Amino acid sequence: MTQGLAAAGCEVTLLLKAPVTTDRLVAPLDGAAGVTLRRPYEEKLLSDLGPRGLTPDQAVTLMTRLDADERFDLVVVRGRRLASIAAQSEVLAGRLWTYLTDVPQNVAEMTSTAVSELTDIAVASRFLLCQTEELRCFLESAVPAACGKSVLFPPVVVVPEGVSGPGAPSDRLRLVYTGKFAPRWNTLEMTELPAALAKRGVSAELHMIGDKIHRDSPEWAKRMAKALEGTPDVRWHGGKPRAEALRLSAECDIGLSWRDPELDASLELSTKVLELGALGLPVVLNRTPMHEDLLGADYPLFADGGGGVDAVADTLTLAADPGIYAEAAERCRDAAARFTLEKAADRLRGYLDLAHPTAPAGTDPQRPLKVVIAGHDLKFFTRLADHLMSLPGLDVRLDEWDGLRDHDQYRSRELAAWADVVICEWCGPNALFYSQHKRPGQRLVVRLHRFELYAEWPRKLDIDKVDAIICVSPHYASLTRELAAWPADKVVTLPNWVDDRQLDRPKLPGAEFTLGMIGIAPSRKRLDRGLEVLAELRRRDPRYTLAVKSKQPWDYWWIWNRPEEREYYERVYRTVQRDPLLADGVVFDPFGPDVAAWLRRVGFMLSTSDDESFHLAPAECAASGGVPAVLSWPGADTIYSRRWLHDDTAAMADAIHATVSEGRFDAARLAAKAEITGNYALERVCSLWTDLIVNGTVPEPVDLQGAIAA
């Protein structure tokens, strides 16, 4: 992490935990450009330092002290206890980049206490850095506050220049293991491998590098130490500096990362596997979904984790074949190439750009533009607000109303007198208030949703006091001009945003057979039409299913109290239960912000509503690598190009099945992703909003014809 941040252009201060007794770890960093090591013990930074290194409390104390001397732009912490204490610091909150490893990795361990602690960490963090997609998705499903903040930071592989493996197996096969010695890492069983291979006519020796023997079981620790020191054909090299350990590994033929099956469900990726691969060594490791994704399902050196020493010895016998050896080595080398320091630095630069954008043209950070965002419900504006608040040159404050009409009038008046620009999210009483208190030279921007269009507030709004009314689609912009009788140039189309970076995740196998719907209430969302599409598809192929992510209609009192709404859902759910085509084909998933993780299994997103102002779900699915399937509700053709629109449910089912059965799913999803990210990517929409706020620039309309041509 330190090397990656330095390579990304940061000045990095690394606070060491313990006194330096060996330079194995710090030697590559000591004196490196852009890196400063702080040594609490040698510098006597605290008076009560204990023999075991800094406690988490002491570490946070020192971080805040160093921050007071020279404020850091970001603070990277690793370790759940340390992160939990740092999250309680008002001084550090908001600047934490928390690297998550020692967190629960299954549902049983994710207790309410763990969720509460991780929620506090997520709220205080700018980013949560996750090693793998599996860990990120699990975290988001359990901790809603992690959604939108969880980003990938895979292991980083750095090997000494010019060091590489032999390229072919030796006559005497040299196995290597490097790391800790622990029961579930099968390190004791590994010492039996040379003898097991000898029985198969394969001459072999095992090299083991490391000096950390887990002593949770004293008896096991004794056996491990004895095996290291006294087993024939086992050479124990002890602890070595990282570079030296890699050089020793490169002199061997095959790496070992064979573990107990209990670790198969781990959501972390072994750095050792990647380092050995970068050296050009093939690795024997357990077959897991993560390892299959890394190396391919047909990788030849997967071991049967529960098969014991004999099963692994059989696999190693295969590796003695030069052809199999070469193929496995190439797979491991190619996999490791995705985890270089250069790629880590590029990834970090992207996160730095998000967290610390440059000041927009036309602003002066010394005299920032004062912006107020006011509304009773800002959930649709959150990411835009986060972006605006991160911009140098803008001073952004929120006026969060308790309800449509309930607010702190004194604070609102104070903000109205302070602001250069006011953004009203919703054209409701908030817009009426700020229009009545608008000052000369102040600009007022109001975003209008479908909800307010048919209410009384637009008719009461003094449009002369408003500089721009924002609608999310051309169709609703036209309706707004017509119903409100406002000047055409006052009504501006600025589309919804799609968080394409968060949504861009690999699809799970079989996603092309899963249809999705997000939000099925009220009845105008037309779940019944989605079921018609599913039934037609299941007549052709029973693999098709429908995943519905939504609150249930009875969760909304204003829906469930309407007899016609209740009757509709009772009828539809009765159909799901009784229709043999549907009974096993519909899954209801809980409402929540973990949409990016949920979309990994969805190939087609259905939009079967009577009407929509925008309908974000098909766009989110496209950004995730899926395909929109949209009925031609009014205005749909101003948001999505015609290739994703269908006249009825039968035509929609025909198009979906043809796309899958004719092998066009990948081509379709690539086209959809290009269209949606080109038009609605979060970065683009944020830029449009910034230009409107800072310079008053009216955005150009979305070019759907260009999308069709592309």
Side-chain angles (χ1 to χ4, degrees):
M1 173 61 76
T2 300
Q3 290 174 312
L5 285 168
C10 296
E11 294 287 332
V12 187
T13 298
L14 176 62
L15 178 63
L16 300 184
K17 176 182 178 179
V20 178
T21 57
T22 171
D23 68 352
R24 288 181 201 161
L25 294 176
V26 300
L29 301 174
D30 202 0
V35 176
T36 300
L37 298 183
R38 298 304 302 265
R39 306 169 185 253
Y41 283 79
E42 292 82 350
E43 297 179 47
K44 297 181 171 52
L45 296 180
L46 290 174
S47 59
D48 56 344
L49 294 172
R52 295 179 175 271
L54 297 178
T55 66
D57 286 292
Q58 289 174 327
V60 173
T61 296
L62 283 179
M63 284 191 289
T64 54
R65 184 185 300 175
L66 294 173
D67 182 63
D69 294 338
E70 184 177 1
R71 181 178 170 84
F72 299 113
D73 296 302
L74 60 106
V75 179
V76 182
V77 293
R78 172 173 173 164
R80 183 171 154 194
R81 180 59 183 155
L82 172 61
S84 181
I85 294 173
Q88 305 307 314
S89 168
E90 293 184 5
V91 174
L92 301 178
R95 288 180 288 155
L96 296 177
W97 290 28
T98 304
Y99 188 60
L100 294 172
T101 53
D102 56 337
V103 296
Q105 298 197 11
N106 59 63
V107 173
E109 294 176 0
M110 190 62 81
T111 62
S112 58
T113 301
V115 170
S116 177
E117 184 178 33
L118 290 170
T119 297
D120 289 342
I121 292 171
V123 169
S125 298
R126 178 60 181 88
F127 291 123
L128 300 172
L129 305 175
C130 302
Q131 258 202 11
T132 63
E133 189 63 72
E134 289 78 6
L135 176 59
R136 173 162 69 159
C137 291
F138 175 70
L139 182 70
E140 290 174 337
S141 67
V143 184
C147 297
K149 292 189 172 186
S150 300
V151 297
L152 291 181
F153 190 75
V156 181
V157 178
V158 182
V159 299
E161 191 172 347
V163 176
S164 62
S170 307
D171 292 337
R172 181 173 173 80
L173 208 58
R174 293 168 296 184
L175 317 178
V176 62
Y177 171 82
T178 176
K180 60 188 175 185
F181 302 105
R184 291 196 297 173
W185 273 250
N186 285 342
T187 50
L188 183 58
E189 290 81 357
M190 287 179 190
T191 61
E192 302 174 30
L193 287 172
L197 286 166
K199 292 178 181 178
R200 290 162 172 76
V202 178
S203 176
E205 61 189 37
L206 172 63
H207 296 256
M208 305 196 87
I209 306 168
D211 56 5
K212 185 176 181 180
I213 300 177
H214 278 222
R215 301 189 179 278
D216 295 342
S217 167
E219 177 59 30
W220 185 92
K222 288 180 183 178
R223 291 173 60 203
M224 187 72 243
K226 183 178 179 181
L228 288 169
E229 294 171 345
T231 304
D233 297 318
V234 173
R235 290 192 58 191
W236 182 29
H237 297 270
K240 296 292 180 183
R242 185 173 162 281
E244 179 61 21
L246 290 171
R247 289 190 182 93
L248 285 171
S249 298
E251 295 173 1
C252 297
D253 301 311
I254 300 173
L256 296 177
S257 187
W258 162 50
R259 297 180 177 181
D260 189 284
E262 286 186 15
L263 296 177
D264 286 353
S266 172
L267 302 179
E268 297 176 8
L269 185 58
S270 170
T271 304
K272 301 299 182 185
V273 169
L274 300 174
E275 287 178 337
L276 293 170
L279 294 173
L281 267 62
V283 183
V284 172
L285 71 173
N286 296 34
R287 180 186 291 277
T288 69
M290 188 184 299
H291 291 157
E292 287 187 348
D293 184 59
L294 180 71
L295 299 169
D298 58 346
Y299 177 70
L301 298 186
F302 282 131
D304 179 358
V309 171
D310 285 337
V312 176
D314 290 340
T315 301
L316 286 166
T317 301
L318 293 175
D321 179 278
I324 294 176
Y325 181 96
E327 179 186 350
E330 183 178 4
R331 293 277 189 96
C332 291
R333 187 185 296 108
D334 290 346
R338 309 202 298 265
F339 299 90
T340 62
L341 180 62
E342 291 76 15
K343 292 188 182 299
D346 285 343
R347 190 183 294 270
L348 288 170
R349 287 188 195 99
Y351 300 152
L352 289 165
D353 288 343
L354 284 175
H356 301 281
T358 57
T363 62
D364 180 1
Q366 301 304 314
R367 301 180 61 186
L369 188 71
K370 294 173 285 189
V371 180
V372 168
I373 302 170
H376 73 284
D377 181 359
L378 301 180
K379 65 174 177 287
F380 298 122
F381 207 85
T382 302
R383 297 306 298 276
L384 294 173
D386 289 343
H387 170 74
L388 296 173
M389 294 173 79
S390 72
L391 291 174
L394 267 62
D395 183 357
V396 180
R397 300 183 186 180
L398 302 181
D399 183 10
E400 297 190 69
W401 290 32
D402 295 327
L404 268 169
R405 297 175 177 82
D406 300 330
H407 67 119
D408 183 338
Q409 293 195 33
Y410 295 103
R411 173 169 170 76
S412 296
R413 287 174 183 269
E414 182 181 280
L415 290 173
W418 170 82
D420 298 314
V421 180
V422 175
I423 303 169
C424 285
E425 170 70 338
W426 307 93
C427 183
N430 57 330
L432 301 182
F433 175 90
Y434 275 97
S435 65
Q436 292 162 4
H437 292 84
K438 184 182 179 183
R439 295 183 291 102
Q442 187 181 67
R443 287 190 291 124
L444 175 60
V445 176
V446 178
R447 191 160 79 148
L448 183 146
H449 301 252
R450 181 184 185 280
F451 164 70
E452 314 97 271
L453 182 57
Y454 299 96
E456 75 273 13
W457 306 299
R459 294 192 294 274
K460 295 179 179 179
L461 182 65
D462 184 351
I463 193 62
D464 292 335
K465 297 288 186 68
V466 180
D467 294 272
I469 296 287
I470 305 298
C471 296
V472 296
S473 72
H475 176 69
Y476 267 80
S478 297
L479 275 180
T480 299
R481 294 186 188 102
E482 178 185 338
L483 295 176
W486 287 334
D489 60 350
K490 291 268 185 159
V491 182
V492 175
T493 300
L494 212 167
N496 273 328
W497 49 267
V498 175
D499 195 346
D500 51 312
R501 294 194 186 189
Q502 277 288 321
L503 292 165
D504 186 14
R505 307 186 185 193
K507 289 292 182 187
L508 295 175
E512 65 270 28
F513 292 101
T514 302
L515 317 178
M517 293 185 76
I518 299 178
I520 57 165
S523 60
R524 63 180 177 81
K525 296 289 187 177
R526 298 302 299 267
L527 173 60
D528 60 308
R529 290 175 178 163
L531 296 174
E532 288 176 12
V533 176
L534 176 66
E536 182 59 36
L537 286 169
R538 284 175 68 84
R539 287 188 186 95
R540 308 178 194 191
D541 192 324
R543 287 178 291 178
Y544 287 107
T545 58
L546 173 64
V548 179
K549 187 172 182 62
S550 176
K551 286 185 178 180
Q552 292 297 335
W554 48 82
D555 293 325
Y556 300 97
W557 64 267
W558 56 275
I559 293 177
W560 202 238
N561 284 346
R562 297 176 183 173
E564 68 277 10
E565 290 282 327
R566 185 178 297 201
E567 190 276 332
Y568 168 83
Y569 285 103
E570 288 175 348
R571 183 176 70 254
V572 170
Y573 284 177
R574 195 177 300 117
T575 300
V576 173
Q577 288 181 313
R578 296 179 179 178
D579 189 332
L581 279 172
L582 300 176
D584 296 326
V586 183
V587 176
F588 289 93
D589 294 308
F591 172 83
D594 56 330
V595 172
W598 180 80
L599 279 172
R600 292 189 68 199
R601 75 176 202 260
V602 175
F604 294 86
M605 181 62 65
L606 307 188
S607 176
T608 55
S609 307
D610 289 330
D611 66 284
E612 293 280 357
S613 60
F614 189 94
H615 206 193
L616 196 59
E620 289 179 327
C621 183
S624 78
V627 179
V630 182
L631 284 185
S632 295
W633 35 261
D637 58 344
T638 68
I639 301 168
Y640 299 101
S641 62
R642 290 292 313 175
R643 67 189 302 176
W644 317 121
L645 305 186
H646 310 283
D647 293 331
D648 53 41
T649 57
M652 183 180 287
D654 288 342
I656 291 172
H657 187 61
T659 300
V660 174
S661 62
E662 295 171 11
R664 294 187 283 108
F665 177 68
D666 286 339
R669 67 198 194 100
L670 286 174
K673 188 173 188 177
E675 174 183 324
I676 295 304
T677 56
N679 291 327
Y680 309 124
L682 177 60
E683 183 176 0
R684 179 179 186 273
V685 175
C686 284
S687 177
L688 295 175
W689 270 97
T690 303
D691 283 347
L692 177 67
I693 292 165
V694 174
N695 304 311
T697 305
V698 175
E700 294 292 329
V702 167
D703 180 14
L704 291 178
Q705 293 304 314
I708 294 172

